[in-house]
Short mmCIF file of all heavy atoms in Angstrom, two decimals:
data_model
loop_
_atom_site.label_atom_id
_atom_site.label_comp_id
_atom_site.label_asym_id
_atom_site.label_seq_id
_atom_site.Cartn_x
_atom_site.Cartn_y
_atom_site.Cartn_z
N GLY A 68 6.26 48.99 -7.07
CA GLY A 68 5.08 48.24 -7.50
C GLY A 68 5.48 46.97 -8.24
O GLY A 68 4.87 45.91 -8.05
N GLN A 69 6.51 47.07 -9.07
CA GLN A 69 6.92 45.89 -9.84
C GLN A 69 7.60 44.85 -8.93
O GLN A 69 7.33 43.66 -9.05
CB GLN A 69 7.82 46.30 -11.00
CG GLN A 69 7.03 47.06 -12.09
CD GLN A 69 7.52 46.81 -13.49
OE1 GLN A 69 8.71 46.63 -13.73
NE2 GLN A 69 6.62 46.86 -14.45
N TYR A 70 8.46 45.29 -8.02
CA TYR A 70 9.11 44.24 -7.20
C TYR A 70 8.12 43.61 -6.22
O TYR A 70 8.26 42.44 -5.87
CB TYR A 70 10.43 44.70 -6.57
CG TYR A 70 10.40 45.62 -5.36
CD1 TYR A 70 9.85 45.22 -4.14
CD2 TYR A 70 10.99 46.88 -5.42
CE1 TYR A 70 9.85 46.06 -3.04
CE2 TYR A 70 11.00 47.73 -4.32
CZ TYR A 70 10.43 47.32 -3.12
OH TYR A 70 10.43 48.14 -2.03
N ASP A 71 7.11 44.36 -5.80
CA ASP A 71 6.07 43.75 -4.95
C ASP A 71 5.35 42.63 -5.72
O ASP A 71 5.04 41.57 -5.17
CB ASP A 71 5.04 44.80 -4.52
CG ASP A 71 5.51 45.57 -3.29
OD1 ASP A 71 6.48 45.14 -2.63
OD2 ASP A 71 4.92 46.63 -3.00
N GLN A 72 5.06 42.90 -6.98
CA GLN A 72 4.38 41.90 -7.80
C GLN A 72 5.28 40.67 -8.01
O GLN A 72 4.82 39.52 -7.92
CB GLN A 72 4.02 42.54 -9.16
CG GLN A 72 2.99 41.73 -9.92
CD GLN A 72 2.58 42.39 -11.23
OE1 GLN A 72 2.68 43.61 -11.39
NE2 GLN A 72 2.14 41.59 -12.16
N ILE A 73 6.57 40.92 -8.28
CA ILE A 73 7.50 39.81 -8.48
C ILE A 73 7.65 39.00 -7.18
O ILE A 73 7.73 37.78 -7.20
CB ILE A 73 8.87 40.34 -8.99
CG1 ILE A 73 8.71 40.97 -10.37
CG2 ILE A 73 9.90 39.21 -9.04
CD1 ILE A 73 9.91 41.79 -10.82
N ASP A 74 7.65 39.71 -6.06
CA ASP A 74 7.76 39.05 -4.76
C ASP A 74 6.61 38.04 -4.56
O ASP A 74 6.82 36.91 -4.10
CB ASP A 74 7.73 40.12 -3.66
CG ASP A 74 8.02 39.57 -2.28
OD1 ASP A 74 8.75 38.57 -2.18
OD2 ASP A 74 7.51 40.13 -1.30
N ALA A 75 5.41 38.45 -4.93
CA ALA A 75 4.26 37.54 -4.80
C ALA A 75 4.43 36.34 -5.73
O ALA A 75 4.11 35.20 -5.36
CB ALA A 75 2.97 38.29 -5.12
N THR A 76 4.96 36.58 -6.93
CA THR A 76 5.19 35.48 -7.88
C THR A 76 6.21 34.49 -7.33
O THR A 76 6.03 33.27 -7.46
CB THR A 76 5.68 36.05 -9.23
OG1 THR A 76 4.71 36.96 -9.72
CG2 THR A 76 5.92 34.95 -10.25
N ILE A 77 7.27 35.01 -6.72
CA ILE A 77 8.31 34.15 -6.13
C ILE A 77 7.69 33.14 -5.17
O ILE A 77 7.97 31.94 -5.22
CB ILE A 77 9.35 35.04 -5.39
CG1 ILE A 77 10.25 35.73 -6.40
CG2 ILE A 77 10.17 34.22 -4.39
CD1 ILE A 77 11.13 36.82 -5.80
N ASP A 78 6.80 33.63 -4.33
CA ASP A 78 6.17 32.75 -3.35
C ASP A 78 5.31 31.67 -4.01
O ASP A 78 5.34 30.50 -3.63
CB ASP A 78 5.31 33.60 -2.40
CG ASP A 78 5.20 32.97 -1.03
OD1 ASP A 78 6.24 32.56 -0.49
OD2 ASP A 78 4.07 32.88 -0.53
N GLU A 79 4.58 32.09 -5.05
CA GLU A 79 3.73 31.13 -5.78
C GLU A 79 4.57 30.05 -6.45
O GLU A 79 4.19 28.87 -6.44
CB GLU A 79 2.93 31.88 -6.86
CG GLU A 79 1.94 32.90 -6.34
CD GLU A 79 0.71 32.25 -5.76
OE1 GLU A 79 0.23 31.30 -6.37
OE2 GLU A 79 0.27 32.68 -4.68
N VAL A 80 5.68 30.45 -7.04
CA VAL A 80 6.52 29.49 -7.77
C VAL A 80 7.14 28.49 -6.79
O VAL A 80 7.11 27.27 -7.02
CB VAL A 80 7.62 30.22 -8.58
CG1 VAL A 80 8.58 29.21 -9.22
CG2 VAL A 80 7.00 31.11 -9.65
N ALA A 81 7.68 28.99 -5.69
CA ALA A 81 8.31 28.10 -4.70
C ALA A 81 7.29 27.13 -4.13
O ALA A 81 7.57 25.94 -3.95
CB ALA A 81 8.95 28.93 -3.60
N GLU A 82 6.09 27.64 -3.85
CA GLU A 82 5.09 26.78 -3.24
C GLU A 82 4.49 25.78 -4.22
O GLU A 82 4.10 24.67 -3.84
CB GLU A 82 4.04 27.65 -2.54
CG GLU A 82 4.66 28.33 -1.32
CD GLU A 82 3.75 29.26 -0.56
OE1 GLU A 82 2.57 29.39 -0.92
OE2 GLU A 82 4.24 29.87 0.42
N ARG A 83 4.46 26.15 -5.52
CA ARG A 83 4.01 25.16 -6.51
C ARG A 83 5.00 24.01 -6.59
O ARG A 83 4.62 22.84 -6.71
CB ARG A 83 3.83 25.80 -7.89
CG ARG A 83 3.44 24.78 -8.93
CD ARG A 83 2.62 25.24 -10.09
NE ARG A 83 2.17 24.06 -10.84
CZ ARG A 83 1.06 23.38 -10.57
NH1 ARG A 83 0.24 23.79 -9.65
NH2 ARG A 83 0.76 22.30 -11.26
N SER A 84 6.29 24.35 -6.54
CA SER A 84 7.30 23.31 -6.56
C SER A 84 7.11 22.34 -5.38
O SER A 84 7.16 21.12 -5.54
CB SER A 84 8.69 23.97 -6.50
OG SER A 84 9.69 23.00 -6.40
N ARG A 85 6.83 22.88 -4.20
CA ARG A 85 6.58 22.03 -3.03
C ARG A 85 5.32 21.19 -3.22
O ARG A 85 5.28 20.02 -2.84
CB ARG A 85 6.42 22.91 -1.78
CG ARG A 85 7.67 23.68 -1.39
CD ARG A 85 8.76 22.76 -0.84
NE ARG A 85 8.35 22.12 0.39
CZ ARG A 85 8.49 20.82 0.65
NH1 ARG A 85 9.02 20.01 -0.24
NH2 ARG A 85 8.11 20.32 1.81
N ALA A 86 4.30 21.78 -3.83
CA ALA A 86 3.04 21.06 -4.03
C ALA A 86 3.24 19.85 -4.95
O ALA A 86 2.48 18.87 -4.88
CB ALA A 86 1.98 22.00 -4.60
N LEU A 87 4.25 19.92 -5.81
CA LEU A 87 4.54 18.82 -6.73
C LEU A 87 5.60 17.89 -6.17
O LEU A 87 6.10 17.01 -6.86
CB LEU A 87 4.98 19.38 -8.08
CG LEU A 87 3.90 20.17 -8.84
CD1 LEU A 87 4.50 20.84 -10.07
CD2 LEU A 87 2.74 19.27 -9.24
N GLY A 88 5.95 18.09 -4.91
CA GLY A 88 6.89 17.19 -4.27
C GLY A 88 8.34 17.61 -4.38
O GLY A 88 9.24 16.88 -3.98
N GLY A 89 8.59 18.80 -4.98
CA GLY A 89 9.96 19.29 -5.12
C GLY A 89 10.43 19.96 -3.84
O GLY A 89 9.67 20.15 -2.89
N VAL A 90 11.71 20.29 -3.83
CA VAL A 90 12.30 21.06 -2.73
C VAL A 90 12.65 22.43 -3.32
O VAL A 90 13.38 22.51 -4.30
CB VAL A 90 13.58 20.39 -2.19
CG1 VAL A 90 14.22 21.25 -1.12
CG2 VAL A 90 13.26 19.01 -1.65
N SER A 91 12.10 23.50 -2.75
CA SER A 91 12.35 24.82 -3.31
C SER A 91 13.78 25.26 -3.05
O SER A 91 14.32 25.03 -1.97
CB SER A 91 11.41 25.85 -2.68
OG SER A 91 10.09 25.55 -3.06
N LEU A 92 14.37 25.91 -4.05
CA LEU A 92 15.65 26.58 -3.81
C LEU A 92 15.42 27.63 -2.73
O LEU A 92 14.34 28.22 -2.66
CB LEU A 92 16.15 27.28 -5.08
CG LEU A 92 16.32 26.42 -6.34
CD1 LEU A 92 16.81 27.32 -7.48
CD2 LEU A 92 17.29 25.29 -6.10
N GLY A 93 16.42 27.88 -1.91
CA GLY A 93 16.18 28.85 -0.84
C GLY A 93 17.39 29.65 -0.43
O GLY A 93 17.38 30.28 0.62
N SER A 94 18.44 29.63 -1.26
CA SER A 94 19.61 30.44 -0.90
C SER A 94 20.03 31.29 -2.09
O SER A 94 19.79 30.94 -3.25
CB SER A 94 20.77 29.55 -0.45
OG SER A 94 21.36 28.92 -1.57
N LEU A 95 20.68 32.40 -1.79
CA LEU A 95 21.12 33.30 -2.86
C LEU A 95 22.11 32.59 -3.78
O LEU A 95 22.11 32.79 -4.99
CB LEU A 95 21.72 34.57 -2.26
CG LEU A 95 20.75 35.38 -1.39
CD1 LEU A 95 21.44 36.60 -0.79
CD2 LEU A 95 19.52 35.81 -2.17
N ALA A 96 22.98 31.76 -3.20
CA ALA A 96 23.96 31.03 -4.02
C ALA A 96 23.24 30.12 -5.02
O ALA A 96 23.63 30.05 -6.19
CB ALA A 96 24.88 30.21 -3.12
N GLU A 97 22.17 29.45 -4.55
CA GLU A 97 21.43 28.58 -5.47
C GLU A 97 20.72 29.39 -6.56
O GLU A 97 20.68 29.00 -7.72
CB GLU A 97 20.38 27.78 -4.70
CG GLU A 97 20.95 26.67 -3.86
CD GLU A 97 19.87 26.03 -2.97
OE1 GLU A 97 19.20 26.75 -2.20
OE2 GLU A 97 19.72 24.81 -3.05
N PHE A 98 20.16 30.53 -6.18
CA PHE A 98 19.48 31.36 -7.18
C PHE A 98 20.47 31.81 -8.26
O PHE A 98 20.17 31.77 -9.45
CB PHE A 98 18.83 32.58 -6.52
CG PHE A 98 17.71 32.24 -5.58
CD1 PHE A 98 17.52 32.94 -4.40
CD2 PHE A 98 16.83 31.21 -5.87
CE1 PHE A 98 16.49 32.64 -3.53
CE2 PHE A 98 15.78 30.88 -5.01
CZ PHE A 98 15.62 31.60 -3.83
N LEU A 99 21.66 32.22 -7.84
CA LEU A 99 22.65 32.67 -8.81
C LEU A 99 23.12 31.53 -9.70
O LEU A 99 23.44 31.73 -10.87
CB LEU A 99 23.85 33.31 -8.10
CG LEU A 99 23.61 34.75 -7.66
CD1 LEU A 99 24.86 35.29 -6.96
CD2 LEU A 99 23.27 35.65 -8.86
N LYS A 100 23.14 30.33 -9.14
CA LYS A 100 23.58 29.17 -9.92
C LYS A 100 22.54 28.80 -10.98
O LYS A 100 22.87 28.40 -12.09
CB LYS A 100 23.83 27.99 -8.98
CG LYS A 100 24.57 26.85 -9.60
CD LYS A 100 24.92 25.79 -8.58
CE LYS A 100 24.83 24.43 -9.26
NZ LYS A 100 24.35 23.39 -8.38
N HIS A 101 21.26 28.94 -10.65
CA HIS A 101 20.20 28.47 -11.55
C HIS A 101 19.63 29.54 -12.48
O HIS A 101 18.91 29.22 -13.41
CB HIS A 101 19.04 27.87 -10.73
CG HIS A 101 19.36 26.51 -10.19
ND1 HIS A 101 20.07 26.32 -9.03
CD2 HIS A 101 19.07 25.27 -10.66
CE1 HIS A 101 20.20 25.01 -8.80
NE2 HIS A 101 19.60 24.37 -9.77
N THR A 102 19.91 30.81 -12.20
CA THR A 102 19.24 31.85 -13.00
C THR A 102 19.76 31.90 -14.43
O THR A 102 20.92 31.57 -14.70
CB THR A 102 19.40 33.24 -12.35
OG1 THR A 102 18.60 34.17 -13.09
CG2 THR A 102 20.85 33.70 -12.34
N ARG A 103 18.86 32.34 -15.31
CA ARG A 103 19.25 32.56 -16.71
C ARG A 103 19.49 34.04 -16.96
O ARG A 103 19.81 34.45 -18.07
CB ARG A 103 18.14 32.03 -17.64
CG ARG A 103 17.96 30.50 -17.51
CD ARG A 103 16.64 30.00 -18.10
NE ARG A 103 15.49 30.39 -17.29
CZ ARG A 103 14.30 29.82 -17.37
NH1 ARG A 103 14.09 28.83 -18.24
NH2 ARG A 103 13.29 30.23 -16.62
N LEU A 104 19.30 34.87 -15.92
CA LEU A 104 19.51 36.32 -16.03
C LEU A 104 20.88 36.69 -15.47
O LEU A 104 21.55 35.89 -14.84
CB LEU A 104 18.41 37.06 -15.28
CG LEU A 104 16.97 36.75 -15.72
CD1 LEU A 104 15.99 37.53 -14.86
CD2 LEU A 104 16.75 37.07 -17.19
N LYS A 105 21.26 37.96 -15.67
CA LYS A 105 22.54 38.44 -15.14
C LYS A 105 22.30 39.54 -14.12
O LYS A 105 21.44 40.41 -14.32
CB LYS A 105 23.36 39.05 -16.30
CG LYS A 105 24.15 38.04 -17.10
CD LYS A 105 25.52 38.62 -17.47
CE LYS A 105 26.56 37.54 -17.69
NZ LYS A 105 26.09 36.38 -18.44
#
Side-chain angles (χ1 to χ4, degrees):
Q69 290 213 327
Y70 76 63
D71 276 346
Q72 196 177 335
I73 295 167
D74 188 29
T76 301
I77 285 169
D78 208 48
E79 296 285 318
V80 174
E82 291 178 2
R83 177 151 190 88
S84 175
R85 295 290 296 133
L87 294 172
V90 176
S91 294
L92 303 179
S94 75
L95 299 179
E97 286 173 305
F98 294 142
L99 280 180
K100 193 173 145 215
H101 284 82
T102 186
R103 296 164 288 197
L104 303 178
K105 276 219 154 41

